[in-house]
Amino acid sequence: IEELIAFNKQHGIPSSFFIGVQNGLGLSYSQAVSKYWIARIIELGSEIGLHGIEFESFDKIKFEHQLFEQLSGLKIFGTRMHYVRKNEHTFEFMQAAGYSYDSTEHAFKNPYKIGNMWEFPFQLMDGWVIEKGKRWQTQTLYQAKENTKLIIAEAQEKRLNYLGIDFHDRYFTAGFKTWIEWYQWLVEYLATNK
């Protein structure tokens, strides 16, 4: 996380980090660990929001919002749903729970409001261009770059005001060579192409 924050700052990339406060599929760490990283990310000057688990019940979504508020000390924050899960009521429930923004929707759309909550659709996710629907890497770095260029071209064609990128911090390490090289290339490619 710290290395990724430093890299983003060095390259002028605004970023938000989403931390879970409840366990879910593939996400299991204590609230003490969550509280530590929430504070650390704030200390390092990056935006922090909830990595939400609950998406079907208003009461559970509201509880999770209150738990994050308690652990973070923040009154205003956003969310992104784990595995980008949602149903026809999720966004309505999130805005009613008090989130200021969400970035769960994968779509080629500009930001829009749902009540008082901004929805910031994202267009790129690391795993989707490197794994291509599998549970492991199926694309070479070259293929991932080419897939990414097509997504960026579509965003440009649709005249989006921004490009939303979902990059998982655990991949910003030499242990995930394709992922880190892809992300570093992506930042340079976007800067070079304005």
Side-chain angles (χ1 to χ4, degrees), residues 56-156:
E56 296 180 296
S57 157
F58 173 73
D59 291 335
K60 290 179 179 179
I61 289 171
K62 181 69 175 171
F63 171 78
E64 201 167 40
H65 181 278
Q66 291 169 337
L67 181 57
F68 186 86
E69 184 177 333
Q70 175 189 347
L71 292 172
S72 69
L74 299 173
K75 297 289 183 200
I76 299 171
F77 53 90
T79 186
R80 178 195 166 290
M81 207 50 67
H82 190 46
Y83 284 109
V84 296
R85 294 179 301 175
K86 64 185 185 316
N87 65 26
E88 66 275 9
H89 301 292
T90 303
F91 294 155
E92 168 193 335
F93 291 163
M94 284 193 279
Q95 77 85 29
Y99 289 102
S100 62
Y101 70 90
D102 170 66
S103 187
T104 297
E105 183 178 16
H106 175 250
F108 288 87
K109 297 179 186 176
N110 280 310
Y112 62 94
K113 285 195 100 171
I114 301 166
N116 292 323
M117 180 183 80
W118 279 99
E119 181 63 31
F120 289 95
F122 72 96
Q123 294 76 42
L124 265 171
M125 186 188 294
D126 49 15
W128 292 355
V129 295
I130 296 171
E131 297 168 355
K132 293 290 275 190
K134 303 292 183 188
R135 294 182 64 166
W136 55 85
Q137 180 178 342
T138 63
Q139 304 293 290
T140 65
L141 179 58
Y142 174 80
Q143 289 170 318
K145 289 177 181 180
E146 294 304 303
N147 294 335
T148 300
K149 288 176 188 176
L150 293 174
I151 293 167
I152 292 168
E154 185 173 351
Q156 288 175 310

